[in-house]
Amino acid sequence: MPGAVPRFTQLAVIVALAVATSLASFSDADARRAGGFSGFGSRGTRTFDSPAITRTAPTQAAPIDRTMTPRPQTQTQTQSPINTQPRPSLFNGFGRSMIGGLIAGGLLGILLGHGFGGGFGFLGMLLQIGLIIAAISFAMRFFANRQRTSYSASGSNASYNMSAPRPSSFSIPTIGGGAASQAPQRHANDEIGLSQADLDRFEQLLTEVQSAYGAEDYNTLRRLTTPEAMSYLAEELGENATKGVRNSVSNVRLLQGDISEAWREGNAEYATLAMRYSSVDALLDRTTGRLVDGDDRNASETTEVWTFVRQPGSDWKLSAIQGTELHHA
């Protein structure tokens, strides 16, 4: 019987270590899932700035993590993007050291033959660890909430409003207008005076680019996008081909849009818009046409932030796409 307690204690310690490891892994996996949305392309000098939020995209857009635009040296030294900061976790820093010390202390006691002070001592040890874990978790969440609160600035943002009537084959709200979030990064602003014709063209580009992507029409994509944006789209299409699938996209329809920002850089003009659209989007087997992922019959809604650029005497071209956390089945 005396030998049963140490064996039980050793087994309990092993289980505790396994639980601690699994919880730490879950935290890391959860953080990876939270950062799953991404962006590619270029927004000129604003590539590494968050677009102004709007009614259509009231949450922060994904950062552009695939770009040929060099990061400004001053920004590298003085700023740190939100999504690259380590996520506060119970098993980081002080919390990990404390729990590790407690477990190590218990193991050392077993090796010295003292155990955890018998069955009741062991249960008391578990209770103490549980209370410490709860206290550290509460403290981590408290400081994380305070950090997020200090980062967000109070105030409101009035979205750009195009009140002119716009004839369209789609029955959709006019691009722009409406209330935005209470914690914007920047105010929505049109510095170049976009016309209704520009807004209509952005709507056409949304449909044309998506349809060309689904048809794997490289020539059309080259005509509608910048060389950099085209390189990333071609890379995605190439990866699909390597995996033996193709991305079928059809019935693209703009549901709602807002102007986030429009500005000039030298001779170039940029326009960033938040667009919520519906489409039938699915991954199909390239050989058999069998559904691999998604839904090839029912439309789903997606909200993304698209940036367009044009040079004097040329048409608008897609230069960047950023995802958002707003996805609707």
Side-chain angles (χ1 to χ4, degrees):
M1 188 61 159
V5 173
R7 283 196 298 271
F8 172 76
T9 304
Q10 293 174 13
L11 178 61
V13 171
I14 294 174
V15 171
L17 288 171
V19 170
T21 303
S22 64
L23 287 175
S25 300
F26 174 79
S27 177
D28 293 339
D30 187 57
R32 285 193 297 270
R33 285 195 301 272
F37 67 115
S38 61
F40 68 83
S42 174
R43 297 201 322 126
T45 58
R46 302 188 184 187
T47 298
F48 302 103
D49 296 335
S50 299
I53 60 177
T54 69
R55 175 196 58 181
T56 302
T59 59
Q60 184 179 10
I64 294 180
D65 52 11
R66 290 188 294 166
T67 183
M68 300 178 187
T69 303
R71 185 181 292 274
Q73 186 67 22
T74 55
Q75 185 178 34
T76 304
Q77 294 176 350
T78 62
Q79 297 183 9
S80 177
I82 300 175
N83 66 309
T84 60
Q85 294 178 358
R87 181 176 180 174
S89 171
L90 173 62
F91 293 93
N92 285 338
F94 178 73
R96 181 181 296 175
S97 300
M98 178 178 290
I99 295 174
L102 290 172
I103 296 176
L107 291 174
L108 181 62
I110 292 175
L111 294 176
L112 295 176
H114 300 295
F116 283 114
F120 291 102
F122 173 73
L123 293 177
M125 176 70 175
L126 288 181
L127 179 59
Q128 292 177 22
I129 292 178
L131 292 174
I132 293 174
I133 290 175
I136 295 175
S137 178
F138 174 79
M140 289 292 185
R141 292 179 181 177
F142 175 77
F143 287 115
N145 290 334
R146 290 196 59 182
Q147 184 178 19
R148 285 194 294 268
T149 302
S150 62
Y151 174 80
S152 300
S154 61
S156 61
N157 177 22
S159 298
Y160 190 97
N161 186 9
M162 295 289 292
S163 57
R166 55 184 302 272
S168 174
S169 58
F170 300 123
S171 177
I172 61 175
T174 302
I175 287 184
S181 170
Q182 296 182 348
Q185 293 281 336
R186 275 206 307 262
H187 292 288
N189 187 27
D190 178 3
E191 301 174 11
I192 63 179
L194 295 173
S195 66
Q196 189 61 51
D198 294 322
L199 302 181
D200 292 339
R201 183 54 187 158
F202 297 145
E203 181 178 336
Q204 293 171 358
L205 283 170
L206 170 69
T207 301
E208 293 174 5
V209 170
Q210 292 283 12
S211 300
Y213 184 87
E216 298 184 345
D217 186 347
Y218 287 82
N219 290 331
T220 300
L221 286 175
R222 290 190 188 95
R223 177 173 57 84
L224 301 177
T225 65
T226 64
E228 180 180 356
M230 175 61 198
S231 69
Y232 297 122
L233 294 173
E235 179 183 354
E236 293 178 0
L237 292 175
E239 291 177 355
N240 286 343
T242 301
K243 297 175 182 177
V245 298
R246 64 181 181 87
N247 195 176
S248 174
V249 183
S250 60
N251 298 332
V252 181
R253 185 166 66 94
L254 179 65
L255 302 176
Q256 179 178 305
D258 287 302
I259 299 173
S260 173
E261 301 170 338
W263 71 99
R264 288 188 179 88
E265 291 185 13
N267 292 330
E269 293 182 336
Y270 287 85
T272 295
L273 295 95
M275 295 189 287
R276 180 170 63 88
Y277 62 92
S278 64
S279 64
V280 178
D281 192 340
L283 278 180
L284 306 178
D285 185 276
R286 300 184 70 88
T287 304
T288 65
R290 178 180 58 86
L291 178 65
V292 176
D293 191 17
D295 191 334
D296 58 352
R297 295 186 179 182
N298 301 308
S300 60
E301 294 182 12
T302 302
T303 301
E304 292 175 331
V305 177
W306 287 35
T307 297
F308 304 92
V309 63
R310 69 178 174 186
Q311 303 290 339
S314 63
D315 198 2
W316 289 104
K317 291 189 175 184
L318 174 67
S319 65
I321 297 180
Q322 296 168 263
T324 72
E325 292 180 314
L326 300 178
H327 295 280
H328 313 275

